[in-house]
Amino acid sequence: MGSVMCGKKIQVEAELPTPSSKLIAPIPPENPEPILFFDKKSDHEMLTLVEISIKCSGLITENRFQLLNPVVHILVEENGEFVKRADTETLFKTLNPVFNTKVKFAYSLGLASKVKFEVYDYQVKSKTKDRVGSCIFSLHEISVKTSLVSKELYHNGKKAGYFGLVAKELNMLYDTITMQWDFIPNTPQGYCILRLVRDEFDSSFIIFQTETRETSYKWEEFTISVNRLCKGDENKNITVEVVRLEGFEEVIFSNRFSLQALKSSNLYICESSDYPGKLGLSKFNYIQKPTFLQYIHSGYEISTIYAIDFSCSQGHDSKLENNQYMKTLTEIQNALQYYTLDPLFLVFGIGGLFSNMNKVSNFFAITGNIFQPGVLNVNMALDYYRSTSLNVIPANVLRHSELIRNIYKQIKFEIKEAHRYYMLTILCGEDTIDLSELKTALECLIEYPITIIFLGILTERCSYENIQQLVLEISSSARREFIIYAPYNDYMKTLNDLSKHLLNYCLTHNYPLKIKTPGPRTVRSNTVSNKILVERIKIRNSYYLKCKQDFTEHLFKIGLSKEKIEEITQKGVPYFFEDSDISSPLDLPPFRSKTMVVRSKLSNFVCVNCKKIVAKFAKSPCGCENVCNACVAVYKCQQCVS
């Protein structure tokens, strides 16, 4: 286990490298796995790989003066349970281990899984492991940062030290290589083709093969992605073969190279002792293109906006486990909360009819205040959602155009923030009926940084034909893809489309990778423990503050008193109509009511005349204070007989 030492001074000195600790070589991993969250059925060439470096500091056990032999087990979330998939090497006699084992995982924005890291102390004599502590990370929490991400380790409710991760993107999905190969045989070989082969796990497969059969053995140049060539591993060996086609395939030349070797040599020529001839690379051009994670690491943020359909009562179950609206919103926000510095996200309602109104609102805030529609976390969103469900009547018909027009106004107002990309997720219960107006509103957003996702929540009873038709029409004619329709059970897949939309938008508009970031990204939580100041929440949405100012001016125009206007604007309204729709104070939406509880302390002042408890005595003409204001004029003071 390690030596037991006494005294704080001895402990500090013992943590430094000692000759005895250097003699003990680390024990290699027992269960290494090349790539976590890798689906062999998925497209191999569309993977983005992220590599994690692991370290711990200040490990603590019951015996605080004891060095440890730490090892880390990596468990991945599968069907709600954590399963061990890999581990690190075992180090000896240290409380601050830095492990050499690198953990790789396949990254995508639509992957919602988590990773659990368990730190153990290896017992040399018994060859057993005692748990030190554990912590859980979201893959998105790890991937959005290039600096150290740390958490406290806990075991049985007690702190056991700190656990740190540093992530690095390995695969450059859009990097490409242009190559042209020449073959110089010792003797003519007839028709030959060029073939590139990559080893993958226990098998090999062809990643490129020429089509031409020219006898000059100078094949046409071709372009291949770095992902396809070597999966981002520049030191990975690739086999290049020259194959003769004379009724059957015969390999007449074969050699191995790496991307690193090609990049370090201007004119790469390979020879083989087993085959006659020379194979040379006459042209090589490496083109690096930005990736989605590179833009995120540079400071580009994803601002999330949600719209919940209240036009149909079905699906709005009070239990979260049965409510597809809130389950979907929760899963999406849990993944995307790490892609912005601002903890607030916007949640609106559509298709609702308030009890004292005769017009349906297709744009209202579930917070009860359209001027402050920001929600801090999903738990708050759930509370607001429950309250809204009790106060809104389903409209039975749904129009999306009003929602889209207001979102367009918001983005147009905030477009100066070029490093922000918006995602509007509409959780649909009913199909839309305003196709023409909706199409016009959507076309206004083509040139703006936004992706709009229509999610069909009630797919068993509604086919959403109008929405699907509209998405196909706009997608086929628009200059870029920015609208998606999907059933609710495919909502995580739509996030992969979101990442492609953001990347294509940034590349199309030539957005730079290096922008000034406001500060380091912080870990977001789904609890109220974020401790965001109320003032920060109120000033977050500058656009909706402008709406509040415009609404106040309009209330003056229609003749409301200053006191009434102040009451409405302070307490807030769930929604507002356009100017032309408001003709009198009776047409105003109901404002949010606030309950104020006043707690008063018991008073010791008792009027000697009426025996009532009062807050303070009134001063009588004689100067005595022992009666209330109501009795001061009729009571004669008994103390001074006046």
Side-chain angles (χ1 to χ4, degrees):
M1 178 184 281
S3 302
V4 177
M5 307 201 177
C6 301
K8 184 176 180 180
K9 183 176 181 180
I10 298 178
Q11 178 195 4
V12 174
E13 293 177 353
E15 291 181 9
L16 298 175
T18 61
S20 59
S21 64
K22 291 182 179 180
L23 297 177
I24 305 177
I27 301 177
E30 299 175 356
N31 186 26
E33 183 161 330
I35 304 175
L36 302 180
F37 302 105
F38 174 70
D39 184 6
K40 295 182 180 180
K41 298 180 181 179
S42 62
D43 189 349
H44 291 222
E45 317 316 324
M46 296 303 290
L47 288 178
T48 297
L49 294 184
V50 175
E51 183 181 78
I52 303 174
S53 301
I54 301 174
K55 63 181 296 186
C56 301
S57 61
L59 296 180
I60 302 173
T61 59
E62 294 182 359
N63 188 341
R64 292 176 177 266
F65 308 116
Q66 182 173 329
L67 297 179
L68 305 179
N69 304 324
V71 57
V72 178
H73 291 183
I74 297 97
L75 298 83
V76 300
E77 187 180 35
E78 297 178 1
N79 300 322
E81 298 181 355
F82 286 100
V83 181
K84 180 185 175 184
R85 293 300 182 195
D87 55 9
T88 65
E89 77 275 18
T90 302
L91 301 179
F92 290 90
K93 295 184 179 182
T94 177
L95 299 179
N96 304 296
V98 178
F99 297 94
N100 293 322
T101 302
K102 310 295 184 182
V103 181
K104 300 177 183 178
F105 66 85
Y107 167 86
S108 68
L109 189 59
L111 187 62
S113 297
K114 298 179 180 179
V115 184
K116 185 176 183 179
F117 298 91
E118 296 180 344
V119 182
Y120 288 87
D121 177 26
Y122 178 71
Q123 307 295 314
V124 178
K125 293 183 179 180
S126 62
K127 296 185 179 180
T128 59
K129 299 176 182 177
D130 296 335
R131 177 178 289 191
V132 177
S134 64
C135 59
I136 299 176
F137 288 83
S138 164
L139 291 185
H140 301 286
E141 181 182 359
I142 300 172
S143 304
V144 296
K145 294 187 65 175
T146 55
S147 57
L148 179 68
V149 183
S150 63
K151 284 188 177 181
E152 290 182 335
L153 289 167
Y154 282 90
H155 181 55
N156 294 332
K158 297 180 180 180
K159 295 181 180 179
Y162 293 90
F163 189 90
L165 298 172
V166 177
K168 176 185 178 182
E169 183 184 10
L170 293 182
N171 278 30
M172 302 306 176
L173 184 61
Y174 288 88
D175 284 7
T176 58
I177 303 171
T178 300
M179 295 186 285
Q180 186 173 24
W181 293 84
D182 297 338
F183 179 53
I184 306 175
N186 291 348
T187 58
Q189 298 292 331
Y191 293 128
C192 297
I193 62 173
L194 180 74
R195 178 184 292 167
L196 301 182
V197 180
R198 187 183 72 210
D199 296 332
E200 196 66 44
F201 300 107
D202 296 331
S203 60
S204 301
F205 65 96
I206 300 173
I207 57 177
F208 176 78
Q209 183 170 288
T210 59
E211 298 292 337
T212 180
R213 297 183 179 181
E214 296 180 359
T215 56
S216 61
Y217 310 118
K218 185 179 179 65
W219 293 280
E220 296 179 358
E221 66 179 55
F222 61 92
T223 300
I224 189 172
S225 68
V226 176
N227 249 354
R228 186 168 183 81
L229 181 68
C230 60
K231 288 187 173 293
D233 185 357
E234 294 188 355
N235 295 316
K236 187 179 184 64
N237 284 324
I238 306 299
T239 302
V240 56
E241 298 177 341
V242 178
V243 182
R244 182 170 57 190
L245 300 177
E246 294 293 341
F248 60 94
E249 295 186 359
E250 180 186 1
V251 178
I252 61 173
F253 186 91
S254 179
N255 208 328
R256 297 172 72 84
F257 68 90
S258 66
L259 178 57
Q260 182 64 38
L262 299 186
K263 293 172 68 174
S264 60
S265 175
N266 294 329
L267 186 60
Y268 183 81
I269 299 177
C270 57
E271 298 183 70
S272 174
S273 58
D274 298 330
Y275 301 95
K278 294 181 180 180
L279 183 65
L281 189 64
S282 59
K283 185 174 183 180
F284 177 82
N285 187 20
Y286 188 102
I287 302 175
Q288 185 176 2
K289 298 181 180 179
T291 67
F292 169 75
L293 278 182
Q294 282 182 305
Y295 277 104
I296 296 299
H297 294 160
S298 297
Y300 288 85
E301 301 182 20
I302 300 177
S303 295
T304 52
I305 307 173
Y306 301 92
I308 302 174
D309 181 7
F310 289 93
S311 65
C312 177
S313 60
Q314 293 189 14
H316 293 282
D317 198 293
S318 59
K319 297 181 179 179
L320 180 59
E321 58 269 18
N322 299 327
N323 191 311
Q324 294 299 340
Y325 291 94
M326 293 309 298
K327 282 180 62 178
T328 304
L329 185 150
T330 300
E331 291 293 333
I332 295 176
Q333 187 59 29
N334 282 344
L336 296 184
Q337 64 177 325
Y338 303 104
Y339 292 84
T340 178
L341 292 172
D342 196 333
L344 295 177
F345 57 96
L346 309 184
V347 185
F348 298 102
I350 55 178
L353 183 64
F354 289 84
S355 57
N356 59 340
M357 300 296 294
N358 57 6
K359 183 174 181 179
V360 176
S361 174
N362 287 302
F363 184 72
F364 59 90
I366 69 167
T367 61
N369 188 351
I370 193 66
F371 308 124
Q372 296 176 17
V375 178
L376 183 58
N377 51 57
V378 294
N379 290 332
M380 281 188 175
L382 180 60
D383 292 338
Y384 284 128
Y385 168 80
R386 286 170 176 164
S387 176
T388 303
S389 300
L390 297 175
N391 294 280
V392 172
I393 303 172
N396 297 322
V397 293
L398 185 62
R399 292 178 172 86
H400 289 96
S401 55
E402 182 179 352
L403 167 69
I404 301 301
R405 285 198 299 268
N406 281 279
I407 298 301
Y408 165 72
K409 294 177 184 178
Q410 174 190 342
I411 298 177
K412 186 178 180 181
F413 182 84
E414 299 175 349
I415 193 63
K416 56 185 178 181
E417 300 184 38
H419 61 279
R420 177 181 294 182
Y421 194 89
Y422 297 85
M423 185 199 73
L424 171 62
T425 302
I426 305 176
L427 308 174
C428 304
E430 293 286 345
D431 201 358
T432 187
I433 64 171
D434 58 342
L435 274 177
S436 178
E437 295 180 358
L438 178 58
K439 183 178 181 181
T440 302
L442 289 172
E443 289 175 344
C444 295
L445 288 168
I446 293 178
E447 297 301 328
Y448 287 86
I450 185 173
T451 290
I452 302 174
I453 303 174
F454 292 91
L455 292 179
I457 300 297
L458 305 178
T459 53
E460 295 180 357
R461 62 176 294 273
C462 184
S463 60
Y464 303 99
E465 293 181 358
N466 291 339
I467 294 178
Q468 294 190 62
Q469 176 186 346
L470 184 61
V471 170
L472 289 175
E473 289 180 3
I474 296 181
S475 299
S476 60
S477 59
R479 290 181 290 276
R480 74 178 186 95
E481 294 184 2
F482 72 104
I483 305 179
I484 307 168
Y485 165 78
Y488 77 91
N489 51 358
D490 288 338
Y491 59 87
M492 294 306 293
K493 295 180 181 178
T494 61
L495 298 186
N496 292 329
D497 294 324
L498 168 65
S499 62
K500 296 176 184 177
H501 294 178
L502 183 150
L503 180 60
N504 292 335
Y505 185 87
C506 292
L507 293 175
T508 303
H509 290 76
N510 296 319
Y511 282 175
L513 275 178
K514 294 183 179 180
I515 63 174
K516 184 178 180 180
T517 56
R521 297 182 182 274
T522 56
V523 175
R524 299 301 175 197
S525 160
N526 287 332
T527 64
V528 190
S529 60
N530 294 68
K531 299 181 180 179
I532 303 300
L533 297 178
V534 176
E535 292 76 9
R536 166 70 186 273
I537 298 176
K538 288 184 178 180
I539 66 174
R540 183 263 183 221
N541 295 296
S542 58
Y543 169 74
Y544 293 98
L545 288 178
K546 174 183 177 298
C547 292
K548 182 178 181 179
Q549 296 172 357
D550 296 341
F551 187 66
T552 302
E553 294 177 1
H554 181 72
L555 296 183
F556 274 112
K557 292 180 182 179
I558 63 176
L560 264 67
S561 65
K562 183 177 180 180
E563 293 75 13
K564 185 65 175 178
I565 293 175
E566 184 177 355
E567 179 186 13
I568 294 175
T569 54
Q570 284 186 355
K571 295 181 178 179
V573 295
Y575 64 93
F576 53 85
F577 292 120
E578 297 177 357
D579 293 352
S580 59
D581 294 330
I582 302 178
S583 57
S584 69
L586 297 178
D587 292 331
L588 290 174
F591 57 82
R592 180 179 61 179
S593 61
K594 290 184 178 180
T595 303
M596 181 176 296
V597 178
V598 180
R599 298 181 179 178
S600 60
K601 297 181 179 179
L602 293 176
S603 175
N604 294 322
F605 301 129
V606 180
C607 179
V608 297
N609 184 44
C610 63
K611 307 302 181 183
K612 291 182 179 180
I613 299 175
V614 295
K616 63 182 296 186
F617 287 139
K619 183 179 290 188
S620 59
C622 64
C624 297
E625 297 181 0
N626 52 14
V627 293
C628 63
N629 287 324
C631 300
V632 69
V634 297
Y635 181 73
K636 292 184 179 181
C637 182
Q638 299 295 328
Q639 297 180 4
C640 58
V641 194
S642 61

